[in-house]
Amino acid sequence: MNSEPAVLLHLCSTDDWSRAQARGELRPESLADAGFVHLSTPEQVHLPANRLYRGRTDLVLLNIDPARLASPVRWEPGVATDPEAMLFPHLYGPLPIAAVIDVTSYRPGADGVFPPAAGSA
């Protein structure tokens, strides 16, 4: 990735976001299991949303200012079914709630499929 996007996204349930606000940081299972928090750009967030959460209506997008992150972000491959050469941002540490600049509801269409995030190309 040549330049850092202005906003990164993390997809989680409203319950997970509520717990993170109470703790001051988000520590999803992936942080313990894989060592990082999965992030996305607005243009790619629909890929993991459809792969992992198809049809769910309790999700929010955490809009993150990368400049407010204390832990490193590395751009790494997703899964084999993602477009070739697509890299996803991975945060190697907890996500501090102070880095979240906006929270938006993320709902699938009537067919259960998530669209790219608003504002993406």
Side-chain angles (χ1 to χ4, degrees), residues 10 16 19-20 23 25-32 37 93-96:
H10 177 74
D16 288 343
R19 284 190 290 275
R23 285 192 298 253
E25 63 184 15
L26 181 71
R27 291 181 159 270
E29 287 183 25
S30 67
L31 186 57
V37 177
L95 173 59

Side-chain angles (χ1 to χ4, degrees), residues 36 38 74-80 82 85-88 90:
F36 58 82
H38 291 276
R74 298 184 189 131
W75 291 83
E76 299 170 320
V79 298
D82 289 333
M86 179 177 280
L87 300 178
F88 284 83
H90 294 151

Side-chain angles (χ1 to χ4, degrees), residues 15 36 44 53 62 88 103:
D15 288 343
F36 58 82
Q44 63 189 185
Y53 304 111
L62 306 182
F88 284 83
V103 179

Side-chain angles (χ1 to χ4, degrees), residues 46-104:
H46 66 289
L47 297 171
N50 285 313
R51 184 168 48 246
L52 302 170
Y53 304 111
R54 188 179 203 114
R56 283 188 54 179
T57 59
D58 65 332
L59 302 177
V60 292
L61 289 175
L62 306 182
N63 294 254
I64 302 159
D65 179 351
R68 296 184 185 185
L69 297 172
S71 299
V73 173
R74 298 184 189 131
W75 291 83
E76 299 170 320
V79 298
T81 57
D82 289 333
E84 190 173 338
M86 179 177 280
L87 300 178
F88 284 83
H90 294 151
L91 174 63
Y92 280 83
L95 173 59
I97 63 164
V100 177
I101 55 175
D102 194 19
V103 179
T104 56

